[in-house]
Amino acid sequence: MVMNLYILFFISLPEALLNLYIMLRLAGESKKLKFKNINNTLRFLITIALMLLGSWIIRPLAPNVVINILLHSIVYTLLISLIYKTNLIKSAFCVSLVLLLYSTVENLYIRFIIAYISHGIENFNSNYQMFIVYSLPYRFAQIAAIIFLIKYEIVLDIAKIDKSFNRLFVICMYLLTCLEYCFSYLFDMYFEKMSLFHQIIFSIAISIMAFITSLLVFKFIYIIVRGLLTGGYKQYQELEMDSKYAFKKVYTLIKDNNINGAEEILENLIDIKKTKDTEVKK
């Protein structure tokens, strides 16, 4: 019980706070992160409390790490969808991305702590006071992700681009996360039975897998951001060319004393006639 409380308040609580902030930023709900608004604050605290309650129930019931992660993802997805009224696919999209970040960062170092410092999963779990220290790299990764999202707000709308692509992305992220944890679970359980050669090969394989996964995620974000920027710049160029053409046409008509023609173009541009008709009806 003491161990669970320690993990709940010193590991799960800060993790949930930062994860929820990241997920809401990814979902484009940054306005609901303005905590001067009492409703936003209450909504955030209620979500955190329910996330912790979910962790409190899931951890003892699902000791298997893969099932544990999947159950957490389902709970987080439902909470964000219900409390923040977001689309279910968008919520799953954001949760899957955060969970993949978590698994990738964790698998870069935790497996080696379990194997070479704690000398086994049982010793690792019994020394739970050190969990705060072990969780620091992921905390730094969470803070870095938050800074990135705040600085480049264009990433917040990535989930709105293509619904079919979102579903495919969510499935791929969960498959990658489960695959990472399956390998990690096997490594933790059978490490002591392996020869030194197999230990080294398995360790390198997990590191490479985590590194490649992180590269794929960052490449995905880069492609999306580049696509949005390129598309936005093309639209700006088209608008600029159309505006120049329209103004050139108006200038020519005015120069030729064709005021009516110039007025007609301007009316079409700014929709004056519709506005006048609406005012007359009112």
Side-chain angles (χ1 to χ4, degrees):
M1 180 66 72
V2 175
M3 177 180 174
N4 286 335
L5 282 172
Y6 181 90
I7 293 172
L8 190 72
F9 289 106
F10 292 101
I11 307 299
S12 296
L13 178 57
E15 182 180 297
L17 285 168
L18 294 173
N19 277 345
L20 181 58
Y21 192 95
I22 293 169
M23 288 186 282
L24 292 175
R25 278 274 174 183
L26 286 170
E29 300 291 345
S30 56
K31 289 182 180 178
K32 293 177 182 176
L33 290 169
K34 295 178 180 178
F35 298 119
K36 290 181 180 179
N37 185 313
I38 188 66
N39 291 330
N40 290 344
T41 304
L42 287 173
R43 190 186 290 115
F44 191 85
L45 292 175
I46 289 168
T47 309
I48 289 296
L50 292 173
M51 287 170 71
L52 291 178
L53 179 62
S55 294
W56 177 266
I57 295 169
I58 291 169
R59 282 183 189 273
L61 290 178
N64 183 291
V65 68
V66 176
I67 298 172
N68 192 300
I69 288 293
L70 288 175
L71 289 175
H72 272 90
S73 68
I74 292 169
V75 170
Y76 289 178
T77 300
L78 291 175
L79 285 175
I80 293 172
S81 295
L82 293 172
I83 296 174
Y84 285 91
K85 310 294 182 185
T86 60
N87 179 275
L88 193 64
I89 295 296
K90 186 198 285 189
S91 300
F93 182 99
C94 300
V95 171
S96 66
L97 192 57
V98 170
L99 286 177
L100 187 64
L101 173 68
Y102 174 78
S103 65
T104 301
V105 175
E106 187 184 72
N107 284 318
L108 283 171
Y109 70 96
I110 285 291
R111 310 292 48 108
F112 304 106
I113 292 173
I114 293 171
Y116 300 108
I117 297 176
S118 299
H119 301 291
I121 189 70
E122 291 182 6
N123 293 332
F124 176 80
N125 287 332
S126 63
N127 191 19
Y128 61 86
Q129 293 90 346
M130 289 296 293
F131 282 9
I132 291 179
V133 177
Y134 297 154
S135 65
L136 286 178
Y138 181 58
R139 295 291 169 272
F140 293 139
Q142 286 176 302
I143 293 167
I146 289 171
I147 293 169
F148 177 81
L149 290 172
I150 292 172
K151 188 174 181 181
Y152 303 102
E153 289 192 16
I154 194 167
V155 181
L156 303 183
D157 290 327
I158 57 177
K160 298 178 182 178
I161 295 171
D162 190 317
K163 290 182 180 179
S164 60
F165 179 76
N166 289 340
R167 293 190 186 96
L168 181 62
F169 178 83
V170 169
I171 292 168
C172 289
M173 292 302 99
Y174 280 124
L175 285 175
L176 282 170
T177 303
C178 290
L179 188 64
E180 280 190 15
Y181 275 110
C182 282
F183 272 93
S184 302
Y185 179 75
L186 290 172
F187 182 73
D188 296 338
M189 296 306 297
Y190 298 103
F191 173 80
E192 293 179 353
K193 298 177 182 179
M194 294 179 186
S195 64
L196 179 62
F197 174 76
H198 288 112
Q199 287 177 3
I200 294 169
I201 294 298
F202 219 122
S203 301
I204 293 171
I206 290 174
S207 297
I208 292 172
M209 183 169 58
F211 181 70
I212 290 173
T213 303
S214 62
L215 282 180
L216 288 172
V217 173
F218 283 113
K219 185 179 179 181
F220 162 78
I221 294 172
Y222 170 75
I223 290 169
I224 294 299
V225 173
R226 186 183 64 181
L228 288 172
L229 287 172
T230 305
Y233 183 67
K234 283 182 179 177
Q235 287 181 346
Y236 167 77
Q237 283 185 316
E238 289 173 3
L239 179 63
E240 186 180 28
M241 288 175 66
D242 290 342
S243 299
K244 283 181 178 179
Y245 175 79
F247 285 121
K248 188 177 179 181
K249 189 73 175 175
V250 169
Y251 174 78
T252 305
L253 290 170
I254 292 173
K255 196 172 181 181
D256 295 339
N257 291 321
N258 189 350
I259 304 301
N260 292 332
E263 283 182 353
E264 187 179 345
I265 292 175
L266 290 173
E267 283 173 358
N268 289 331
L269 283 173
I270 59 179
D271 217 6
I272 286 176
K273 283 185 178 179
K274 266 187 188 176
T275 308
K276 285 180 180 178
D277 291 340
T278 308
E279 287 175 353
V280 169
K281 286 180 182 178
K282 287 181 179 179

